[in-house]
Amino acid sequence: MKKSFAIIASAMLVMPAVGQETYENARLANTDLNGTARYVGMGGAMEALGADISTVSTNPAGMGLARHSSVGVSAGLQIQHGAENFGTGKKTNLSFDQAGFVISRVNDNKTLNFAFNYHKSRNFNQILQAADVLDNASQNKLSATKGYQGWLYETDGRGVPNFRSAYLSCNQIDALYASTAYHDFLYDSSSHSWLDTPANGYQMDRSQQGYISDFDFNISGGNGRVWLGLTMGIHDVHYKHYSLYHENLNETSTGNSYLMAVSDDRRITGQGLDIKAGIIFRPIEESPLRFGLSVATPTWYTLTTSNMTAMTLRNKTKTNSDSYKFKVYTPWKFGLSAGYTIGTEWALGLSYEYADYSSTDSRRITGSSYSSWDGSYSEESESDVEMNRHTTSTLKGVHTLKAGVELKATKNLAVRLGYNFVSPLYSKTGFKDGTLQSEGSYYSSSTDFTNWKATNRITCGLGYQMDKWNLALAYQYSVRHGDFYPFASYTDAEDASYDNIAGAVKVDDKRHRVMATLTYTF
């Protein structure tokens, strides 16, 4: 089966700085349940209870309830259940998770506190593995179809591509398939036509590594009835993945089979800034019941992504590499919480957060401007309208529910339990659209995507007080299920033989996590 099309590979060298793709952005958008062992042991439900340094990133007013200065550090071990080591990715990883301090000033019943906290809001370590059969479908067929439909312009009579604006619909995988390294297999030189080849199966292995570090600077205080807080956060992104995708291609004209492999090494680095504000209040003076409200601005990220992607077929290898800078603005986040204490023995917490990730703003950098006032340069950007439209239909508003309880069983020993639920970020019908007229799609070097479902976390913990020292331990089990697709499927209304359908493969992300926090109060 032959149809004429061309893919524009050389245009990759002249693209401007651009926006990123929806599924790549989603990796950066959400956060893990991480912080001190006490915070984790209670499922993160401490936004109204306060007095824990982890609350500076969720409700900044929480540190206003601290009546003593302290300093603490946290570290842990994460184990991915059911995974096998792949590449440099390991299913078991040590992690330095948190370090911070608070300086508390108390005058009568009034507090004025200053705090700094470092913690990992995202731990990217994950191994993803999936495999399935394919029936008259392949990644290569997806690229060929773009040519069939006119997204990639035909070559002229000499086999030279006509480069036009439609090159934005071409991604780096398309360019590798169109490489001259494969002319003897995927290109008919007599008719200047590209060939598509179905596969009978695929296998994907990917290891993700890295983290987002948050550096939070907080000021808070209160008078015993009302507490206020403000936090400025700096986010430092370090993400990388290595994947190896195999398809067993079937050459229909000869009946021969060939193993095609795509290796993809991608890195994302950069920084972001946000501001968070919160309030905690006791509506009834005689009651320990407290309510909390919080709001966080978008995180304004400036990021750089780079890739090295290689395709190997019949002992021939072709590579593509690129790097570009872009911006992503995450959505606003809102929180509502309640806390209640019974004597000095019981503490109960309940928290709710909401963020509409469908409003995530992918932005292309358009230039820079100079300020004569302070002699600085600032980057100008604009929204990637086409990619943002895709994000709106692919991502959803996310609801996070946290519940926790703490029992001080003895004067020195505390026992904690918690539950944490995060609703799905992805729409069931979401897919990675490689045909968008967007630079975000153009720079994509993979076609696979996973629509992850809800995340459930169960936590528990212990705390032991030793004079001015406190040692806290926590355990967290988290699980989420997802639907993995090697590429976006499509159907042809006129001829079913052109259909290119890959069914969903069920994948899991199950993690065990143990951690400890050592705190000194002074």
Side-chain angles (χ1 to χ4, degrees), residues 3-316:
K3 291 206 175 182
S4 178
F5 74 105
I7 298 177
I8 299 157
S10 60
M12 290 184 178
L13 302 176
V14 296
M15 287 294 297
V18 297
Q20 180 64 302
E21 192 271 333
T22 296
Y23 281 85
E24 295 290 343
N25 290 341
R27 290 193 176 103
L28 311 177
N30 220 338
T31 59
D32 296 329
L33 174 59
N34 200 6
T36 67
R38 185 188 182 207
Y39 182 82
V40 171
M42 293 188 66
M46 298 194 65
E47 281 70 32
L49 291 171
D52 188 283
I53 198 165
S54 291
T55 61
V56 301
S57 63
T58 53
N59 186 345
M63 280 314 299
L65 281 83
R67 301 182 65 84
H68 300 279
S69 300
S70 64
V71 58
V73 294
S74 304
L77 179 70
Q78 178 175 283
I79 303 171
Q80 185 177 346
H81 179 75
E84 297 181 3
N85 294 342
F86 171 71
T88 59
K90 308 299 181 184
K91 65 180 182 180
T92 302
N93 296 277
L94 290 170
S95 180
F96 177 67
D97 295 310
Q98 178 270 333
F101 65 86
V102 57
I103 303 298
S104 179
R105 295 290 180 261
V106 181
N107 184 7
D108 292 331
N109 202 34
K110 298 178 181 179
T111 59
L112 178 62
N113 299 336
F114 302 90
F116 166 79
N117 191 48
Y118 157 84
H119 86 286
K120 286 183 180 177
S121 59
R122 287 285 280 127
N123 186 331
F124 291 119
N125 289 327
Q126 181 192 15
I127 296 171
L128 177 66
Q129 296 166 318
D132 201 9
V133 298
L134 291 171
D135 182 13
N136 194 35
S138 67
Q139 187 186 73
N140 164 245
K141 194 172 179 180
L142 181 68
S143 291
T145 302
K146 293 182 181 181
Y148 303 162
Q149 301 300 323
W151 285 312
L152 308 167
Y153 285 94
E154 295 183 359
T155 60
D156 62 18
R158 298 168 297 159
V160 178
N162 291 319
F163 295 168
R164 303 187 188 182
S165 61
Y167 67 82
L168 291 180
S169 293
C170 168
N171 59 39
Q172 297 192 48
I173 295 296
D174 300 326
L176 285 170
Y177 276 120
S179 164
T180 55
Y182 306 112
H183 275 190
D184 62 337
F185 180 64
L186 299 175
Y187 185 71
D188 185 338
S189 58
S190 61
S191 62
H192 306 297
S193 298
W194 291 96
L195 313 175
D196 68 78
T197 305
N200 59 25
Y202 73 86
Q203 179 173 332
M204 164 64 80
D205 296 277
R206 171 176 288 128
S207 64
Q208 294 179 183
Q209 297 170 278
Y211 52 87
I212 299 179
S213 293
D214 289 5
F215 302 86
D216 289 322
F217 301 84
N218 171 265
I219 181 171
S220 59
N223 60 9
R225 289 287 302 278
V226 178
W227 297 266
L228 301 173
L230 185 69
T231 296
M232 183 183 73
I234 299 174
H235 307 259
D236 189 31
V237 178
H238 294 271
Y239 169 86
K240 64 179 180 179
H241 78 228
Y242 173 75
S243 63
L244 186 59
Y245 177 77
H246 291 96
E247 279 187 348
N248 191 34
L249 299 177
N250 300 315
E251 188 177 20
T252 55
S253 60
T254 64
N256 295 326
S257 294
Y258 302 93
L259 186 65
M260 183 280 300
V262 177
S263 63
D264 183 45
D265 192 340
R266 179 168 292 276
R267 298 171 186 265
I268 303 174
T269 59
Q271 290 75 41
L273 174 69
D274 69 359
I275 299 172
K276 299 169 277 278
I279 181 173
I280 298 173
F281 59 93
R282 282 197 302 130
I284 304 172
E285 185 174 3
E286 297 78 14
S287 172
L289 178 65
R290 299 193 286 268
F291 293 101
L293 298 171
S294 62
V295 60
T297 68
T299 301
W300 300 291
Y301 279 118
T302 300
L303 303 166
T304 299
T305 184
S306 60
N307 75 288
M308 173 64 74
T309 309
M311 181 179 291
T312 301
L313 178 64
R314 297 181 69 178
N315 298 319
K316 294 182 180 180

Side-chain angles (χ1 to χ4, degrees), residues 378-390:
S378 60
E379 291 175 326
E380 299 174 345
S381 65
E382 64 181 14
S383 295
D384 184 339
V385 176
E386 186 76 4
M387 185 57 68
N388 287 344
R389 186 179 297 115
H390 177 258

Side-chain angles (χ1 to χ4, degrees), residues 40-43 403-407 415-419 458-461:
V40 171
M42 293 188 66
V405 57
E406 179 183 67
L407 169 62
V415 181
R416 300 162 185 135
L417 293 173
Y419 173 69
I458 299 173
T459 67
C460 62

